[in-house]
Amino acid sequence: MFSASVLTLYPDMFPGPLGQSLSGDALARGLWALETRDIREQGLGRHRAVDDTPAGGGPGMVIRADVLAASLDANLTAEDARPRLLMSPRGRPLTQARARDLSQGPGVIVVCGRFEGVDERVIEARGLEEISIGDYVLSGGEIAAIVLLDACVRLIPGVMGKTESGSDESFENGLLEYPQYTRPRDWENRAIPDILLSGDHAKIAAWRRAQSERLTRERRPDLLPPKA
Ligand code: SAH
């Protein structure tokens, strides 16, 4: 089963949105598991300090290598084969392909940074893989971890109603999804495209494909293969 262990200074942020709707129902049904570990449990001294000022000067604070390593060591065994991810704007961007890949595996260990980030040495020494959810800076890794887990959990077998309800979606075939419509058939003088009501499945598939290609060309040409 997909099992997520999250190391964080804010365990109360979990399950948060992951406890609702699709991921929440799946959690309740035991299709995946989530545990949180408070990094502060390994904090130092009376105040359980976890951070200190950056070597070389500069603003903010950095999570200490010894504290984060102690938290990882206390909570994980040597046999734990799950990928060890560190949420980080410097990481390789998360993709749908990676989320699908992770969702087929044993789960993930996710470390959430805070402040200016974490001491570089613990990233190296504990083999953490940095992973980003986009080119912007959040105040902490928790929301990024929730994004990552949500993307993975919906792809776990049995979580979505129909297995095929994932395969048509944006990014799954290298294209953005085609426009969707539902009832009412006419709404504010806007009709559903006739072809979708024709019952001709081959024509519908061709229309959707063309729409996907048009939207991808207009909005995300970077997703298309380079022209020869
Ligand atoms: N000083 C760092 C940013 C620290 S933001 C830098 O310039 O790279 C604080 C924490 O928020 C990070 O340690 C990371 O865990 C999380 N975070 C911020 N933006 C993120 C993003 N785009 N993707 C994933 N995690 C992010």
Side-chain angles (χ1 to χ4, degrees), residues 28-93:
R29 283 160 61 208
L31 293 174
W32 69 292
L34 172 66
E35 60 167 23
T36 50
R37 295 288 181 230
D38 190 345
I39 297 168
R40 203 167 288 283
E41 277 178 25
Q42 276 71 40
L44 305 172
R46 202 157 53 86
H47 297 292
R48 298 230 166 263
V50 297
D51 56 333
D52 212 324
T53 53
M61 301 293 273
V62 176
I63 297 182
R64 292 175 58 118
D66 51 353
V67 171
L68 183 52
S71 176
L72 283 159
D73 296 347
N75 291 305
L76 305 174
T77 62
E79 308 84 70
D80 199 322
R82 293 174 296 170
R84 302 175 169 199
L85 309 177
L86 169 65
M87 304 317 299
S88 162
R90 290 188 332 198
R92 196 182 297 164

Short mmCIF file of all heavy atoms in Angstrom, two decimals, residues 28-93:
data_model
loop_
_atom_site.label_atom_id
_atom_site.label_comp_id
_atom_site.label_asym_id
_atom_site.label_seq_id
_atom_site.Cartn_x
_atom_site.Cartn_y
_atom_site.Cartn_z
N ALA A 28 -9.78 6.99 4.43
CA ALA A 28 -10.72 6.30 5.33
C ALA A 28 -10.92 4.84 4.91
O ALA A 28 -11.11 3.97 5.76
CB ALA A 28 -12.05 7.04 5.35
N ARG A 29 -10.85 4.59 3.59
CA ARG A 29 -11.02 3.23 3.10
C ARG A 29 -9.74 2.41 3.19
O ARG A 29 -9.72 1.24 2.78
CB ARG A 29 -11.50 3.25 1.63
CG ARG A 29 -12.99 3.59 1.48
CD ARG A 29 -13.33 4.09 0.07
NE ARG A 29 -13.06 3.11 -0.95
CZ ARG A 29 -12.74 3.39 -2.21
NH1 ARG A 29 -12.62 4.64 -2.61
NH2 ARG A 29 -12.51 2.43 -3.08
N GLY A 30 -8.67 3.01 3.66
CA GLY A 30 -7.41 2.29 3.83
C GLY A 30 -6.67 2.02 2.53
O GLY A 30 -5.83 1.12 2.47
N LEU A 31 -6.94 2.82 1.49
CA LEU A 31 -6.24 2.64 0.21
C LEU A 31 -4.87 3.29 0.22
O LEU A 31 -4.05 3.05 -0.65
CB LEU A 31 -7.08 3.21 -0.94
CG LEU A 31 -8.38 2.46 -1.22
CD1 LEU A 31 -9.21 3.18 -2.28
CD2 LEU A 31 -8.08 1.04 -1.67
N TRP A 32 -4.63 4.14 1.19
CA TRP A 32 -3.30 4.69 1.41
C TRP A 32 -3.20 5.07 2.89
O TRP A 32 -4.21 5.07 3.59
CB TRP A 32 -3.01 5.87 0.49
CG TRP A 32 -3.77 7.14 0.74
CD1 TRP A 32 -5.11 7.33 0.56
CD2 TRP A 32 -3.25 8.38 1.22
NE1 TRP A 32 -5.45 8.62 0.88
CE2 TRP A 32 -4.32 9.29 1.28
CE3 TRP A 32 -1.97 8.83 1.58
CZ2 TRP A 32 -4.17 10.62 1.69
CZ3 TRP A 32 -1.81 10.15 1.98
CH2 TRP A 32 -2.90 11.03 2.03
N ALA A 33 -1.98 5.34 3.35
CA ALA A 33 -1.76 5.69 4.76
C ALA A 33 -0.92 6.95 4.85
O ALA A 33 -0.10 7.24 3.98
CB ALA A 33 -1.06 4.54 5.47
N LEU A 34 -1.17 7.72 5.91
CA LEU A 34 -0.44 8.98 6.12
C LEU A 34 -0.04 9.08 7.57
O LEU A 34 -0.87 8.91 8.48
CB LEU A 34 -1.36 10.16 5.75
CG LEU A 34 -0.85 11.56 6.07
CD1 LEU A 34 0.36 11.91 5.22
CD2 LEU A 34 -1.96 12.59 5.85
N GLU A 35 1.25 9.32 7.82
CA GLU A 35 1.69 9.63 9.19
C GLU A 35 2.53 10.88 9.14
O GLU A 35 3.22 11.15 8.15
CB GLU A 35 2.47 8.46 9.81
CG GLU A 35 3.72 8.08 9.04
CD GLU A 35 4.65 7.16 9.82
OE1 GLU A 35 4.19 6.47 10.74
OE2 GLU A 35 5.86 7.15 9.49
N THR A 36 2.45 11.67 10.21
CA THR A 36 3.28 12.88 10.28
C THR A 36 4.23 12.74 11.46
O THR A 36 3.89 12.12 12.48
CB THR A 36 2.42 14.15 10.49
OG1 THR A 36 1.53 13.93 11.57
CG2 THR A 36 1.64 14.48 9.24
N ARG A 37 5.41 13.30 11.30
CA ARG A 37 6.42 13.31 12.36
C ARG A 37 6.86 14.75 12.58
O ARG A 37 7.25 15.43 11.64
CB ARG A 37 7.63 12.46 11.95
CG ARG A 37 7.29 11.00 11.79
CD ARG A 37 7.06 10.37 13.16
NE ARG A 37 6.74 8.97 13.04
CZ ARG A 37 5.70 8.39 13.64
NH1 ARG A 37 4.85 9.12 14.33
NH2 ARG A 37 5.51 7.10 13.52
N ASP A 38 6.79 15.18 13.83
CA ASP A 38 7.16 16.55 14.17
C ASP A 38 8.68 16.64 14.32
O ASP A 38 9.27 16.03 15.21
CB ASP A 38 6.48 16.93 15.49
CG ASP A 38 6.61 18.41 15.79
OD1 ASP A 38 7.45 19.08 15.16
OD2 ASP A 38 5.86 18.89 16.67
N ILE A 39 9.31 17.39 13.42
CA ILE A 39 10.78 17.53 13.45
C ILE A 39 11.23 18.09 14.81
O ILE A 39 12.33 17.79 15.29
CB ILE A 39 11.25 18.45 12.29
CG1 ILE A 39 10.90 17.81 10.93
CG2 ILE A 39 12.74 18.75 12.37
CD1 ILE A 39 11.05 18.75 9.74
N ARG A 40 10.37 18.87 15.44
CA ARG A 40 10.74 19.50 16.72
C ARG A 40 10.97 18.48 17.84
O ARG A 40 11.63 18.80 18.84
CB ARG A 40 9.66 20.52 17.13
CG ARG A 40 10.18 21.59 18.08
CD ARG A 40 9.22 22.74 18.25
NE ARG A 40 9.13 23.61 17.09
CZ ARG A 40 10.03 24.54 16.76
NH1 ARG A 40 11.11 24.71 17.49
NH2 ARG A 40 9.86 25.29 15.69
N GLU A 41 10.45 17.27 17.68
CA GLU A 41 10.72 16.25 18.70
C GLU A 41 12.21 15.99 18.87
O GLU A 41 12.66 15.57 19.94
CB GLU A 41 10.01 14.93 18.34
CG GLU A 41 8.56 14.93 18.75
CD GLU A 41 7.84 13.65 18.36
OE1 GLU A 41 8.50 12.61 18.20
OE2 GLU A 41 6.61 13.73 18.20
N GLN A 42 12.98 16.22 17.82
CA GLN A 42 14.44 16.07 17.91
C GLN A 42 15.13 17.42 18.09
O GLN A 42 16.35 17.52 17.98
CB GLN A 42 14.99 15.37 16.65
CG GLN A 42 14.92 13.85 16.71
CD GLN A 42 13.49 13.33 16.60
OE1 GLN A 42 12.69 13.84 15.83
NE2 GLN A 42 13.17 12.31 17.38
N GLY A 43 14.35 18.46 18.40
CA GLY A 43 14.92 19.79 18.62
C GLY A 43 15.85 19.80 19.82
O GLY A 43 15.80 18.91 20.67
N LEU A 44 16.68 20.84 19.88
CA LEU A 44 17.75 20.89 20.89
C LEU A 44 17.38 21.78 22.07
O LEU A 44 16.84 22.87 21.88
CB LEU A 44 19.04 21.42 20.24
CG LEU A 44 19.52 20.65 19.00
CD1 LEU A 44 20.69 21.40 18.36
CD2 LEU A 44 19.92 19.23 19.37
N GLY A 45 17.69 21.29 23.26
CA GLY A 45 17.58 22.11 24.46
C GLY A 45 16.15 22.29 24.93
O GLY A 45 15.22 21.69 24.42
N ARG A 46 16.04 23.16 25.90
CA ARG A 46 14.75 23.39 26.55
C ARG A 46 13.72 23.91 25.54
O ARG A 46 12.54 23.64 25.64
CB ARG A 46 14.95 24.40 27.67
CG ARG A 46 13.89 24.37 28.75
CD ARG A 46 14.44 24.97 30.05
NE ARG A 46 15.00 26.31 29.84
CZ ARG A 46 14.29 27.44 29.87
NH1 ARG A 46 12.99 27.40 30.10
NH2 ARG A 46 14.86 28.60 29.69
N HIS A 47 14.21 24.68 24.58
CA HIS A 47 13.28 25.27 23.61
C HIS A 47 13.11 24.43 22.35
O HIS A 47 12.45 24.85 21.39
CB HIS A 47 13.73 26.68 23.23
CG HIS A 47 13.71 27.62 24.40
ND1 HIS A 47 12.55 28.02 25.02
CD2 HIS A 47 14.72 28.19 25.10
CE1 HIS A 47 12.83 28.81 26.03
NE2 HIS A 47 14.15 28.93 26.12
N ARG A 48 13.74 23.25 22.34
CA ARG A 48 13.64 22.35 21.19
C ARG A 48 13.96 23.09 19.88
O ARG A 48 13.19 23.02 18.90
CB ARG A 48 12.24 21.71 21.12
CG ARG A 48 11.90 20.86 22.33
CD ARG A 48 11.39 19.49 21.90
NE ARG A 48 11.37 18.55 23.02
CZ ARG A 48 12.34 17.66 23.25
NH1 ARG A 48 13.39 17.58 22.47
NH2 ARG A 48 12.26 16.84 24.27
N ALA A 49 15.09 23.76 19.88
CA ALA A 49 15.49 24.57 18.71
C ALA A 49 15.77 23.66 17.52
O ALA A 49 16.39 22.60 17.65
CB ALA A 49 16.73 25.39 19.06
N VAL A 50 15.30 24.07 16.36
CA VAL A 50 15.50 23.29 15.13
C VAL A 50 16.30 24.06 14.09
O VAL A 50 16.77 23.49 13.12
CB VAL A 50 14.15 22.88 14.51
CG1 VAL A 50 13.38 21.95 15.45
CG2 VAL A 50 13.31 24.10 14.15
N ASP A 51 16.45 25.36 14.28
CA ASP A 51 17.06 26.19 13.24
C ASP A 51 18.16 27.07 13.83
O ASP A 51 18.27 27.20 15.05
CB ASP A 51 15.99 27.08 12.59
CG ASP A 51 15.25 27.95 13.61
OD1 ASP A 51 15.16 27.54 14.79
OD2 ASP A 51 14.77 29.03 13.23
N ASP A 52 18.95 27.65 12.93
CA ASP A 52 20.00 28.56 13.38
C ASP A 52 20.32 29.52 12.23
O ASP A 52 19.80 29.34 11.12
CB ASP A 52 21.24 27.77 13.82
CG ASP A 52 21.99 28.48 14.95
OD1 ASP A 52 22.04 29.74 14.93
OD2 ASP A 52 22.52 27.78 15.83
N THR A 53 21.18 30.50 12.50
CA THR A 53 21.45 31.53 11.50
C THR A 53 22.33 30.96 10.38
O THR A 53 23.11 30.05 10.60
CB THR A 53 22.16 32.73 12.14
OG1 THR A 53 23.32 32.23 12.85
CG2 THR A 53 21.25 33.43 13.13
N PRO A 54 22.18 31.49 9.15
CA PRO A 54 22.94 30.95 8.02
C PRO A 54 24.44 31.23 8.13
O PRO A 54 24.83 32.35 8.45
CB PRO A 54 22.34 31.67 6.79
CG PRO A 54 21.45 32.72 7.29
CD PRO A 54 21.27 32.57 8.76
N ALA A 55 25.25 30.20 7.89
CA ALA A 55 26.69 30.41 7.80
C ALA A 55 26.97 31.38 6.66
O ALA A 55 26.36 31.26 5.59
CB ALA A 55 27.39 29.07 7.56
N GLY A 56 27.86 32.33 6.88
CA GLY A 56 28.16 33.31 5.84
C GLY A 56 27.28 34.54 5.92
O GLY A 56 27.44 35.47 5.12
N GLY A 57 26.31 34.52 6.82
CA GLY A 57 25.44 35.68 7.03
C GLY A 57 24.24 35.69 6.11
O GLY A 57 24.05 34.76 5.32
N GLY A 58 23.44 36.71 6.22
CA GLY A 58 22.23 36.82 5.41
C GLY A 58 21.00 36.65 6.26
O GLY A 58 21.09 36.31 7.44
N PRO A 59 19.84 36.93 5.63
CA PRO A 59 18.60 36.95 6.40
C PRO A 59 18.09 35.54 6.72
O PRO A 59 18.47 34.57 6.08
CB PRO A 59 17.63 37.65 5.45
CG PRO A 59 18.14 37.30 4.08
CD PRO A 59 19.64 37.20 4.21
N GLY A 60 17.21 35.48 7.71
CA GLY A 60 16.46 34.25 7.96
C GLY A 60 17.22 33.20 8.73
O GLY A 60 18.32 33.44 9.25
N MET A 61 16.62 32.04 8.81
CA MET A 61 17.14 30.92 9.58
C MET A 61 17.16 29.68 8.70
O MET A 61 16.45 29.60 7.71
CB MET A 61 16.27 30.67 10.81
CG MET A 61 16.16 31.85 11.75
SD MET A 61 17.71 32.26 12.58
CE MET A 61 17.63 31.18 14.00
N VAL A 62 17.99 28.72 9.11
CA VAL A 62 18.16 27.48 8.34
C VAL A 62 17.92 26.30 9.27
O VAL A 62 18.38 26.31 10.43
CB VAL A 62 19.60 27.41 7.75
CG1 VAL A 62 19.84 26.09 7.03
CG2 VAL A 62 19.86 28.59 6.81
N ILE A 63 17.20 25.28 8.81
CA ILE A 63 16.98 24.08 9.62
C ILE A 63 18.30 23.32 9.75
O ILE A 63 19.00 23.08 8.76
CB ILE A 63 15.87 23.19 9.02
CG1 ILE A 63 14.54 23.97 9.02
CG2 ILE A 63 15.74 21.89 9.81
CD1 ILE A 63 13.35 23.19 8.48
N ARG A 64 18.64 22.97 10.99
CA ARG A 64 19.94 22.35 11.28
C ARG A 64 20.02 20.93 10.71
O ARG A 64 19.05 20.17 10.78
CB ARG A 64 20.14 22.29 12.79
CG ARG A 64 20.33 23.65 13.44
CD ARG A 64 20.39 23.49 14.94
NE ARG A 64 21.47 22.60 15.34
CZ ARG A 64 22.52 22.95 16.09
NH1 ARG A 64 22.62 24.21 16.53
NH2 ARG A 64 23.44 22.07 16.42
N ALA A 65 21.22 20.58 10.23
CA ALA A 65 21.45 19.24 9.68
C ALA A 65 21.30 18.17 10.75
O ALA A 65 20.70 17.12 10.51
CB ALA A 65 22.85 19.17 9.05
N ASP A 66 21.87 18.43 11.95
CA ASP A 66 21.84 17.40 12.99
C ASP A 66 20.40 17.12 13.44
O ASP A 66 20.02 15.96 13.64
CB ASP A 66 22.75 17.78 14.18
CG ASP A 66 22.50 19.18 14.72
OD1 ASP A 66 21.70 19.94 14.11
OD2 ASP A 66 23.10 19.55 15.75
N VAL A 67 19.60 18.17 13.55
CA VAL A 67 18.21 17.98 14.00
C VAL A 67 17.39 17.23 12.96
O VAL A 67 16.69 16.25 13.27
CB VAL A 67 17.55 19.35 14.33
CG1 VAL A 67 16.07 19.19 14.59
CG2 VAL A 67 18.26 20.01 15.51
N LEU A 68 17.50 17.63 11.71
CA LEU A 68 16.70 16.97 10.66
C LEU A 68 17.17 15.53 10.46
O LEU A 68 16.35 14.62 10.29
CB LEU A 68 16.77 17.76 9.35
CG LEU A 68 15.92 17.22 8.20
CD1 LEU A 68 14.46 17.01 8.62
CD2 LEU A 68 15.99 18.16 6.99
N ALA A 69 18.48 15.30 10.53
CA ALA A 69 19.00 13.93 10.40
C ALA A 69 18.49 13.07 11.56
O ALA A 69 18.09 11.91 11.34
CB ALA A 69 20.52 13.94 10.37
N ALA A 70 18.48 13.62 12.76
CA ALA A 70 17.98 12.85 13.92
C ALA A 70 16.51 12.51 13.74
O ALA A 70 16.07 11.40 14.09
CB ALA A 70 18.21 13.66 15.21
N SER A 71 15.75 13.42 13.17
CA SER A 71 14.33 13.16 12.92
C SER A 71 14.17 12.05 11.89
O SER A 71 13.37 11.12 12.09
CB SER A 71 13.64 14.45 12.45
OG SER A 71 12.30 14.19 12.11
N LEU A 72 14.93 12.11 10.81
CA LEU A 72 14.87 11.04 9.79
C LEU A 72 15.30 9.71 10.40
O LEU A 72 14.63 8.68 10.22
CB LEU A 72 15.79 11.40 8.61
CG LEU A 72 15.26 12.46 7.64
CD1 LEU A 72 16.39 13.09 6.84
CD2 LEU A 72 14.22 11.85 6.69
N ASP A 73 16.40 9.72 11.15
CA ASP A 73 16.94 8.47 11.71
C ASP A 73 16.00 7.85 12.74
O ASP A 73 15.91 6.63 12.85
CB ASP A 73 18.32 8.72 12.33
CG ASP A 73 19.35 9.16 11.29
OD1 ASP A 73 19.06 9.04 10.08
OD2 ASP A 73 20.43 9.64 11.68
N ALA A 74 15.30 8.70 13.48
CA ALA A 74 14.39 8.19 14.51
C ALA A 74 13.14 7.58 13.91
O ALA A 74 12.50 6.72 14.51
CB ALA A 74 14.01 9.32 15.47
N ASN A 75 12.79 8.03 12.71
CA ASN A 75 11.50 7.64 12.16
C ASN A 75 11.57 6.65 11.01
O ASN A 75 10.54 6.10 10.61
CB ASN A 75 10.73 8.89 11.72
CG ASN A 75 10.30 9.72 12.92
OD1 ASN A 75 9.64 9.21 13.82
ND2 ASN A 75 10.72 10.97 12.97
N LEU A 76 12.77 6.43 10.46
CA LEU A 76 12.88 5.58 9.28
C LEU A 76 13.87 4.46 9.54
O LEU A 76 14.85 4.65 10.24
CB LEU A 76 13.35 6.39 8.08
CG LEU A 76 12.50 7.62 7.77
CD1 LEU A 76 13.15 8.43 6.67
CD2 LEU A 76 11.09 7.23 7.38
N THR A 77 13.58 3.31 8.96
CA THR A 77 14.50 2.19 9.09
C THR A 77 15.38 2.11 7.84
O THR A 77 15.04 2.67 6.80
CB THR A 77 13.73 0.86 9.23
OG1 THR A 77 12.96 0.66 8.03
CG2 THR A 77 12.80 0.88 10.43
N ALA A 78 16.48 1.38 7.95
CA ALA A 78 17.41 1.23 6.83
C ALA A 78 16.74 0.51 5.67
O ALA A 78 17.09 0.73 4.51
CB ALA A 78 18.67 0.49 7.27
N GLU A 79 15.77 -0.36 5.96
CA GLU A 79 15.12 -1.15 4.89
C GLU A 79 14.06 -0.33 4.16
O GLU A 79 13.50 -0.81 3.16
CB GLU A 79 14.43 -2.41 5.44
CG GLU A 79 15.28 -3.31 6.31
CD GLU A 79 15.30 -2.83 7.75
OE1 GLU A 79 14.25 -2.94 8.42
OE2 GLU A 79 16.34 -2.33 8.22
N ASP A 80 13.74 0.85 4.66
CA ASP A 80 12.68 1.64 4.05
C ASP A 80 13.07 2.05 2.63
O ASP A 80 14.01 2.82 2.44
CB ASP A 80 12.42 2.89 4.91
CG ASP A 80 11.06 3.50 4.62
OD1 ASP A 80 10.64 3.51 3.45
OD2 ASP A 80 10.41 3.96 5.58
N ALA A 81 12.38 1.49 1.65
CA ALA A 81 12.77 1.69 0.24
C ALA A 81 12.07 2.88 -0.39
O ALA A 81 12.26 3.15 -1.58
CB ALA A 81 12.47 0.42 -0.55
N ARG A 82 11.25 3.59 0.37
CA ARG A 82 10.50 4.69 -0.23
C ARG A 82 11.42 5.84 -0.62
O ARG A 82 12.37 6.13 0.11
CB ARG A 82 9.42 5.19 0.74
CG ARG A 82 8.32 4.18 1.01
CD ARG A 82 7.38 4.66 2.09
NE ARG A 82 8.04 4.82 3.39
CZ ARG A 82 7.49 5.40 4.44
NH1 ARG A 82 6.28 5.92 4.35
NH2 ARG A 82 8.14 5.49 5.58
N PRO A 83 11.13 6.52 -1.74
CA PRO A 83 11.92 7.69 -2.11
C PRO A 83 11.85 8.74 -0.99
O PRO A 83 10.79 8.95 -0.39
CB PRO A 83 11.24 8.21 -3.38
CG PRO A 83 10.36 7.14 -3.86
CD PRO A 83 10.06 6.23 -2.71
N ARG A 84 13.00 9.38 -0.73
CA ARG A 84 13.08 10.43 0.30
C ARG A 84 13.09 11.77 -0.38
O ARG A 84 14.10 12.17 -0.97
CB ARG A 84 14.36 10.28 1.10
CG ARG A 84 14.47 8.95 1.75
CD ARG A 84 15.81 8.81 2.42
NE ARG A 84 15.79 7.63 3.26
CZ ARG A 84 16.64 7.40 4.24
NH1 ARG A 84 17.58 8.28 4.52
NH2 ARG A 84 16.54 6.31 4.97
N LEU A 85 11.99 12.46 -0.32
CA LEU A 85 11.83 13.71 -1.06
C LEU A 85 11.91 14.90 -0.11
O LEU A 85 11.42 14.84 1.02
CB LEU A 85 10.48 13.73 -1.78
CG LEU A 85 10.17 12.49 -2.64
CD1 LEU A 85 8.78 12.61 -3.25
CD2 LEU A 85 11.23 12.33 -3.74
N LEU A 86 12.55 15.96 -0.59
CA LEU A 86 12.56 17.23 0.14
C LEU A 86 11.87 18.26 -0.74
O LEU A 86 12.32 18.53 -1.87
CB LEU A 86 14.01 17.67 0.42
CG LEU A 86 14.19 19.10 0.95
CD1 LEU A 86 13.55 19.27 2.33
CD2 LEU A 86 15.67 19.47 0.99
N MET A 87 10.77 18.82 -0.24
CA MET A 87 10.08 19.84 -1.01
C MET A 87 10.99 21.07 -1.07
O MET A 87 11.48 21.54 -0.03
CB MET A 87 8.74 20.20 -0.37
CG MET A 87 7.78 19.03 -0.15
SD MET A 87 7.64 17.84 -1.51
CE MET A 87 7.02 18.89 -2.83
N SER A 88 11.22 21.58 -2.29
CA SER A 88 12.19 22.66 -2.45
C SER A 88 12.00 23.36 -3.79
O SER A 88 11.88 22.69 -4.82
CB SER A 88 13.61 22.07 -2.38
OG SER A 88 14.54 22.97 -2.92
N PRO A 89 11.99 24.71 -3.80
CA PRO A 89 11.87 25.40 -5.09
C PRO A 89 13.06 25.14 -6.01
O PRO A 89 12.99 25.39 -7.20
CB PRO A 89 11.76 26.88 -4.71
CG PRO A 89 12.24 26.98 -3.31
CD PRO A 89 12.07 25.64 -2.68
N ARG A 90 14.15 24.61 -5.46
CA ARG A 90 15.32 24.29 -6.27
C ARG A 90 15.24 22.92 -6.91
O ARG A 90 16.14 22.51 -7.65
CB ARG A 90 16.58 24.30 -5.39
CG ARG A 90 16.99 25.66 -4.91
CD ARG A 90 18.35 25.56 -4.24
NE ARG A 90 18.60 24.24 -3.64
CZ ARG A 90 19.52 24.00 -2.73
NH1 ARG A 90 20.25 24.99 -2.24
NH2 ARG A 90 19.70 22.80 -2.27
N GLY A 91 14.21 22.16 -6.54
CA GLY A 91 14.13 20.77 -6.99
C GLY A 91 13.72 20.63 -8.44
O GLY A 91 13.33 21.59 -9.10
N ARG A 92 13.77 19.40 -8.92
CA ARG A 92 13.25 19.11 -10.25
C ARG A 92 11.74 19.25 -10.18
O ARG A 92 11.10 18.80 -9.23
CB ARG A 92 13.64 17.68 -10.63
CG ARG A 92 13.48 17.42 -12.12
CD ARG A 92 13.81 16.00 -12.48
NE ARG A 92 15.19 15.66 -12.21
CZ ARG A 92 15.64 14.40 -12.16
NH1 ARG A 92 14.82 13.40 -12.32
NH2 ARG A 92 16.91 14.17 -11.92
N PRO A 93 11.13 19.90 -11.19
CA PRO A 93 9.68 20.12 -11.13
C PRO A 93 8.88 18.81 -11.12
O PRO A 93 9.20 17.88 -11.86
CB PRO A 93 9.38 20.93 -12.40
CG PRO A 93 10.69 21.49 -12.84
CD PRO A 93 11.75 20.54 -12.37
#
